[in-house]
């Protein structure tokens, strides 16, 4: 099984914290849809006969596309690949795009999972982030979406400057009140060259606090687990049967194609990424040449990626898999380097599976980087 990720590089407006590739101009949208379909056809042989189990529309804001445009792209996938009987087909959407009429129409389309970018139920948070929707639109769209879709995820952001624990818990409880079976939640991060970065440097917005973010994270974990959610990946919580199949495949190292500007692909041994420029991407597609770069992964790269993704999940890092796929040297290195974190109570080794403890979850990425194999030759 493999997946296809489709990057839609358009947004109605730029969120202050976002460093993903997008354009706020829709002038080339029609041309982009055709180019994406062309890339899908161009790359039909790359997955070597693998069945497609997931199709994921990310961005950007994929919900700026019309339903006809979305179905046109999905049909291109079906025309060029073998698709599983019941694939997970996810559309990332913003609340301002999800009118009652739009939700109803999407429910009649091949889309069977919505990932809704709520971020916060507080108006001042949304304004600070420069989100295109308001708090009322978020609540209205969720109340309507659950009538038509069983499989819904929402995004929430914690660690917002000035956000108290009580305010954060209100966000979480509000999300739970809609019966949503999946929540993705991320700490507000100041990425270089974003508007948020400029505002923080100028003192307009306070620097997000790591301590507050960690408190919010632990409150999130405790609250969602008490409500029947499984914390299956560092930023993702799902009821049983509602884990994101697309994201799970990524964390477990399965193959995927990334279609569209800036999209990344992985075939098990190499990574490639399309140019993060709409004009250059369209020019390449027009000339029948995919504008992309490729990196062949070394064994050390594969070890580091497995450690990074594995420690973020409930499945952890298998010592035996490291030995079998990468060699005894990497197995021995992993065991030796993880020992100090086990002694600190941040990692545990359960029958050959190395995982973070509850205490170590929030620090998973930092621990993983300390376990990386650095080849100094």
């Amino acid at each position: 099984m493999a997946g296809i990720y489709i990057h839609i590089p358009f947004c109605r407006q730029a969120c202050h914290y976002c460093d993903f590739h997008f354009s706020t101009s829709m002038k080339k949208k029609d041309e982009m849809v055709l180019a994406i379909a062309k890339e899908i056809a161009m790359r039909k042989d790359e997955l070597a006969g693998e069945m497609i189990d997931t199709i994921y529309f990310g961005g950007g804001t994929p919900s700026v596309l019309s339903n006809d445009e979305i179905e046109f792209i999905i049909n291109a996938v079906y025309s060029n690949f073998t698709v599983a009987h019941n694939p997970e087909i996810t559309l990332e959407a913003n609340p301002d795009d999800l009118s009652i009429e739009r939700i109803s129409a999407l429910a009649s389309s091949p889309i069977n999972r919505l990932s809704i970018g709520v971020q916060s139920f507080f108006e001042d948070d949304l304004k600070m982030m420069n989100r295109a929707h308001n708090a009322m639109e978020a609540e209205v769209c969720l109340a309507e979406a659950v009538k038509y879709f069983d499989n819904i995820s929402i995004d929430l952001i914690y660690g917002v400057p000035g956000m108290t624990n009580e305010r954060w818990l209100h966000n979480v409880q509000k999300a739970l009140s809609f019966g949503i079976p999946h929540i993705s939640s991320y700490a507000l991060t100041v990425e270089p060259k974003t508007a948020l970065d400029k505002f923080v440097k100028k003192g307009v917005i306070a620097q997000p606090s790591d301590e507050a973010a960690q408190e919010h994270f632990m409150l999130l974990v405790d609250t969602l687990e008490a409500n029947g959610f499984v914390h299956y990946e560092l930023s993702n919580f799902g009821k049983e049967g509602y884990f994101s199949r697309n994201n799970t495949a990524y964390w477990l190292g399965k193959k995927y194609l990334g279609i569209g500007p800036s999209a990344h692909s992985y075939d098990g041994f190499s990574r490639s990424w399309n140019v993060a420029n709409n004009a250059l991407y369209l020019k390449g597609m027009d000339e029948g040449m995919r504008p992309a770069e490729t990196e062949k992964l070394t064994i050390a790269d594969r070890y580091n990626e497995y450690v990074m993704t594995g420690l973020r999940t409930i499945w952890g890092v298998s010592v035996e898999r490291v030995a079998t796929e990468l060699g005894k040297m990497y197995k021995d290195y992993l065991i030796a380097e993880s020992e100090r974190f086990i002694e600190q109570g941040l990692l545990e080794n359960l029958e050959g599976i190395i995982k973070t403890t509850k205490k170590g979850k929030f620090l998973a990425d930092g621990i993983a980087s300390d376990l990386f194999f650095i080849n100094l030759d």
Side-chain angles (χ1 to χ4, degrees), residues 167-179:
R167 187 180 174 99
W168 171 237
L169 279 174
H170 175 87
N171 264 336
V172 178
Q173 294 293 351
K174 176 65 75 172
L176 290 172
S177 72
F178 291 98

Side-chain angles (χ1 to χ4, degrees), residues 75-230:
N75 288 339
V77 174
Y78 272 83
S79 296
N80 290 282
F81 294 89
T82 302
V83 181
H85 172 64
N86 183 31
E88 176 188 87
I89 306 181
T90 301
L91 179 74
E92 289 185 354
N94 278 355
D96 49 299
D97 290 323
L98 294 179
S99 65
I100 293 173
E101 296 75 19
R102 183 77 193 279
I103 292 169
S104 175
L106 282 171
S108 299
S109 79
I111 298 294
N112 54 28
R113 183 174 184 270
L114 292 179
S115 177
I116 304 175
V118 172
Q119 315 309 353
S120 177
F121 291 99
F122 289 98
E123 201 66 45
D124 51 349
D125 291 343
L126 297 173
K127 288 180 180 177
M128 184 275 288
M129 298 176 196
N130 201 40
R131 295 292 295 169
H133 70 278
N134 60 45
M136 182 58 69
E137 284 175 320
E139 295 193 35
V140 169
C141 93
L142 289 176
E144 195 65 23
V146 295
K147 298 176 184 177
Y148 291 89
F149 284 87
D150 174 56
N151 199 350
I152 297 174
S153 177
I154 69 169
D155 289 351
L156 293 175
I157 292 179
Y158 58 86
V160 176
M163 179 181 281
T164 63
N165 289 347
E166 292 73 23
R167 187 180 174 99
W168 171 237
L169 279 174
H170 175 87
N171 264 336
V172 178
Q173 294 293 351
K174 176 65 75 172
L176 290 172
S177 72
F178 291 98
I180 304 297
H182 189 281
I183 292 175
S184 296
S185 193
Y186 310 90
L188 182 67
T189 304
V190 182
E191 300 291 353
K193 299 180 181 179
T194 59
L196 180 60
D197 183 35
K198 294 176 184 176
F199 293 147
V200 168
K201 286 176 178 175
K202 290 180 179 179
V204 176
I205 296 174
Q207 175 74 40
S209 161
D210 290 342
E211 292 75 16
Q214 185 164 5
E215 283 189 30
H216 292 172
F217 176 79
M218 297 311 296
L219 286 169
L220 175 72
V221 172
D222 290 344
T223 304
L224 292 186
E225 288 185 341
N227 282 272
F229 284 75
V230 178

Side-chain angles (χ1 to χ4, degrees), residues 241-290:
Y242 291 95
F243 298 0
S244 167
R245 282 154 59 182
N246 174 82
N247 295 349
T248 298
Y250 165 76
W251 296 314
L252 294 180
K254 295 186 179 180
K255 299 176 183 178
Y256 60 89
L257 283 188
I259 306 292
S262 80
H264 286 232
S265 303
Y266 174 69
D267 66 4
F269 299 95
S270 65
R271 291 199 178 280
S272 65
W273 54 95
N274 291 348
V275 64
N277 181 295
N278 287 4
L280 291 178
Y281 174 81
L282 290 172
K283 183 175 184 291
M285 287 297 104
D286 186 55
E287 295 172 351
M289 300 258 311
R290 175 183 165 229

Side-chain angles (χ1 to χ4, degrees), residues 252-372:
L252 294 180
K254 295 186 179 180
K255 299 176 183 178
Y256 60 89
L257 283 188
I259 306 292
S262 80
H264 286 232
S265 303
Y266 174 69
D267 66 4
F269 299 95
S270 65
R271 291 199 178 280
S272 65
W273 54 95
N274 291 348
V275 64
N277 181 295
N278 287 4
L280 291 178
Y281 174 81
L282 290 172
K283 183 175 184 291
M285 287 297 104
D286 186 55
E287 295 172 351
M289 300 258 311
R290 175 183 165 229
E293 295 182 56
T294 300
E295 174 191 22
K296 185 172 178 57
L297 301 177
T298 65
I299 295 179
D301 291 334
R302 291 165 56 197
Y303 165 83
N304 291 344
E305 289 201 7
Y306 179 44
V307 169
M308 174 62 79
T309 55
L311 285 187
R312 290 180 64 99
T313 73
I314 58 172
W315 302 287
V317 178
S318 166
V319 173
E320 184 59 35
R321 178 177 166 183
V322 170
T324 302
E325 297 183 8
L326 306 174
K328 181 177 183 299
M329 179 182 75
Y330 289 94
K331 170 190 171 183
D332 293 345
Y333 181 85
L334 172 64
I335 292 173
E337 293 299 310
S338 62
E339 190 59 41
R340 61 191 168 106
F341 295 105
I342 293 173
E343 291 174 358
Q344 294 169 25
L346 300 175
L347 292 180
E348 56 189 356
N349 188 335
L350 301 175
E351 299 182 347
I353 303 295
I354 296 175
K355 301 180 181 182
T356 56
T357 61
K358 185 172 183 178
K359 178 182 174 183
K361 278 183 179 180
F362 185 74
L363 305 173
D365 288 346
I367 295 170
S369 66
D370 283 341
L371 298 181
F372 283 175

